[in-house]
Amino acid sequence: MNPTTTDAGPRQVAPPPAKTSTPASPRSRRPVFTGRRGLSIAAFMAPAAVFVAIFVYYPMIAGGQMAFRNWNLNDLTDTSWVGLKNFREILADPVFYTVLGNTAVWVVGSIVPQFVIGFAIALWLRRKFRFRGLYQALIFFPWAISGFLIGILFRWMFNSEFGVINDLLEKAHVIDTPIPWLADPKTAMTAVVIANIWYGVTFFTIMILAALQSIPDEIYEAGAIDGAGKVRTLFQITIPSIRGTLALTVLLRVIWIFNFPDIIFGMTGGGPSNETHIVTTWMISITQQGDYGKASAVGLIVVAMLMVFSVFYLTATRERNGTAS
């Protein structure tokens, strides 16, 4: 019997389905990784890797090993291995603990006002008003100036004889006689902290403003419909939305201020009587005396302190974020 015919008549045979081209998935479009491709990538990365190894890691390792040697420019005939001798001398030096206290005042006294003022300015700049771009340029301008130059500028401003700070305070009848800001151990640290606050507010303003601009307006509109006031909006919408940026910004700024000797060198050079020396400026002064071994030991102590702080800080912020979420 003919397979195409039946008792009811001829049967139509359906044609085979046409082949349709399916679009390639994004994964299939990726080039296959081969040994030749890996060599090409390595060849492009090699110059940068060599540059970083020579100018970053080698000096870091070389400087680190100096901390365990008798490395003094006054006598380079003896660079023998001394182990922890440099560290013991540092820990036995009473100046080291004065410097640690100054560093704590320098960091905390700078970071808190910088954060509060920078946050307030960022909230103000987020609003739309006339000449907002001009105000942003004026506020961001200090960040483009060298920190050492800022220190020299404030050294003249805090000068006891012809500084503008004393002149303004006298005209406002706050003081009767000029204050020797940078010569008095009781006021020198206050002066350098004020200078650093003025300089560092810009950093918080830039970072926080960028984070605030990423918050959708719909969230604020929904909060307004629910009857949220300014304080409730700040603590229940704004801050939770940028908590990660705030935590990272504070961490970066703490590390930066801890390793920021520019303003202090421009204003006081660490004086008077080591009252404005922080750990990094004290390390530089030891280097200027030629004792590279002791200075390298101070550098390793600074690295260890910052690493410990970073670990505890990141752990605390992550636990807080996890609890809040």
Side-chain angles (χ1 to χ4, degrees), residues 121-149:
I121 296 176
L123 290 174
W124 174 60
L125 290 177
R126 190 182 185 275
R127 301 165 53 192
K128 295 180 180 180
F129 55 90
R130 196 175 183 183
F131 303 118
R132 183 177 66 167
L134 177 61
Y135 284 109
Q136 289 180 349
L138 293 175
I139 291 174
F140 296 165
F141 175 73
W143 198 246
I145 305 177
S146 167
F148 184 75
L149 183 60

Side-chain angles (χ1 to χ4, degrees), residues 9-10 25 54 66 81 86 98 107 113 155-156 159 190 212 214 235 238 264 274 284 286 289 292-293 313:
S25 62
I54 294 176
M66 285 183 182
W81 186 271
N86 292 321
T98 301
V107 174
R155 184 178 66 186
W156 289 104
N159 188 278
T190 302
L212 290 175
S214 66
F235 287 98
T238 302
I264 294 178
N274 298 319
I284 295 175
I286 294 174
Q289 298 170 7
Y292 279 34
Y313 179 80

Side-chain angles (χ1 to χ4, degrees), residues 66-248:
M66 285 183 182
F68 304 94
R69 292 182 178 275
N70 184 28
W71 201 287
N72 197 312
L73 292 182
N74 299 322
D75 184 14
L76 291 177
T77 59
D78 182 17
T79 59
S80 59
W81 186 271
V82 295
L84 300 177
K85 176 184 175 182
N86 292 321
F87 294 93
R88 288 194 296 267
E89 291 181 355
I90 292 171
L91 297 178
D93 193 343
V95 177
F96 174 68
Y97 299 97
T98 301
V99 168
L100 281 182
N102 295 340
T103 305
V105 174
W106 167 253
V107 174
V108 178
S110 299
I111 199 75
V112 175
Q114 285 180 6
F115 177 81
V116 175
I117 299 173
F119 203 132
I121 296 176
L123 290 174
W124 174 60
L125 290 177
R126 190 182 185 275
R127 301 165 53 192
K128 295 180 180 180
F129 55 90
R130 196 175 183 183
F131 303 118
R132 183 177 66 167
L134 177 61
Y135 284 109
Q136 289 180 349
L138 293 175
I139 291 174
F140 296 165
F141 175 73
W143 198 246
I145 305 177
S146 167
F148 184 75
L149 183 60
I150 295 296
I152 296 176
L153 174 65
F154 273 89
R155 184 178 66 186
W156 289 104
M157 293 174 63
F158 280 103
N159 188 278
S160 59
E161 297 179 0
F162 46 80
V164 66
I165 301 296
N166 280 331
D167 184 59
L168 292 175
L169 293 177
E170 286 179 353
K171 290 181 178 179
H173 302 288
V174 177
I175 59 175
D176 297 326
T177 58
I179 299 176
W181 290 97
L182 303 180
D184 189 350
K186 298 180 181 179
T187 58
M189 179 57 75
T190 302
V192 296
V193 168
I194 291 174
N196 194 34
I197 291 172
W198 181 86
Y199 182 67
V201 164
T202 300
F203 177 78
F204 278 102
T205 303
I206 294 173
M207 298 295 290
I208 296 175
L209 179 59
L212 290 175
Q213 291 175 342
S214 66
I215 303 176
D217 294 333
E218 292 78 6
I219 299 180
Y220 289 105
E221 294 174 358
I225 294 174
D226 292 339
K230 294 183 178 180
V231 176
R232 182 180 173 188
T233 300
L234 176 63
F235 287 98
Q236 295 188 2
I237 297 179
T238 302
I239 293 179
S241 299
I242 62 173
R243 183 182 289 113
T245 301
L246 295 179
L248 181 60

